[in-house]
Amino acid sequence: MKTVDKYIKFKSSYKDYVVLIKSGNFYYSFDDDAYILKYFFNYQIRDNKVGFPINAKAKVKSVLNRHNVNLLEIIDDYAYVLETKNENEYESKLKEAKSNILISNMLSNLMNSIEVKVKKEEANYRLIKDFVDEL
């Protein structure tokens, strides 16, 4: 069974958990869980997936625990609940993560546009700066 298929299988039963799938020397997570991991650790999302080395698991567990996010680890075909919080903040952290990623993308696009304008004409810097200062 592919890693993503294992994720889907377990995620359907643990919707409010970050699900980590161990594969070789790495852990992987997908979909919404990948957004949460990017938000807390700035891991890169590629093909709707985040991966990190197994030696980072303690840090991931600690941070998610501190933020009251449930955590499930899958090794082979077995699930191990690492953290279960009565006050699980999974949904609110997912909302924060998606908002943060959206804002980061918007700012990145804006910075790229500003760079193009300033490179085209240095005087545009002053115009842009004055505009921003007026906000």
Side-chain angles (χ1 to χ4, degrees):
M1 183 182 300
K2 287 182 171 181
T3 305
V4 69
D5 296 329
K6 286 182 187 180
Y7 174 84
I8 292 167
K9 173 185 166 190
F10 285 99
K11 187 65 178 180
S12 66
S13 298
Y14 295 91
K15 290 179 178 21
D16 62 343
Y17 284 70
V18 169
V19 176
L20 302 177
I21 309 287
K22 185 175 182 293
S23 180
N25 292 325
F26 287 86
Y27 281 97
Y28 295 97
S29 199
F30 300 83
D31 302 326
D32 287 345
D33 296 349
Y35 290 121
I36 291 174
L37 293 172
K38 176 174 179 46
Y39 177 55
F40 286 125
F41 305 101
N42 204 30
Y43 293 144
Q44 294 300 310
I45 297 175
R46 290 196 175 90
D47 299 325
N48 208 27
K49 171 178 71 175
V50 162
F52 61 89
I54 58 174
N55 63 358
K57 181 179 100 174
K59 178 177 90 172
V60 169
K61 181 181 175 189
S62 173
V63 169
L64 293 178
N65 181 38
R66 194 168 52 247
H67 289 280
N68 294 321
V69 176
N70 291 345
L71 181 60
L72 183 78
E73 176 182 19
I74 308 301
I75 299 176
D76 297 321
D77 289 325
Y78 300 98
Y80 302 94
V81 174
L82 299 179
E83 292 296 331
T84 300
K85 301 292 185 180
N86 290 331
E87 301 289 325
N88 184 22
E89 296 287 331
Y90 180 89
E91 287 298 327
S92 66
K93 296 306 177 187
L94 176 59
K95 185 177 177 181
E96 286 176 28
K98 286 183 173 183
S99 176
N100 182 274
I101 291 168
L102 175 65
I103 290 169
S104 292
N105 289 340
M106 289 171 26
L107 289 173
S108 178
N109 290 338
L110 181 59
M111 290 303 296
N112 289 338
S113 295
I114 290 170
E115 183 178 2
V116 167
K117 296 294 184 185
V118 171
K119 282 183 176 178
K120 182 177 181 183
E121 181 64 47
E122 282 186 33
N124 286 334
Y125 171 79
R126 178 54 51 199
L127 294 171
I128 294 167
K129 182 168 182 347
D130 290 345
F131 176 76
V132 170
D133 288 345
E134 288 291 318
L135 291 176

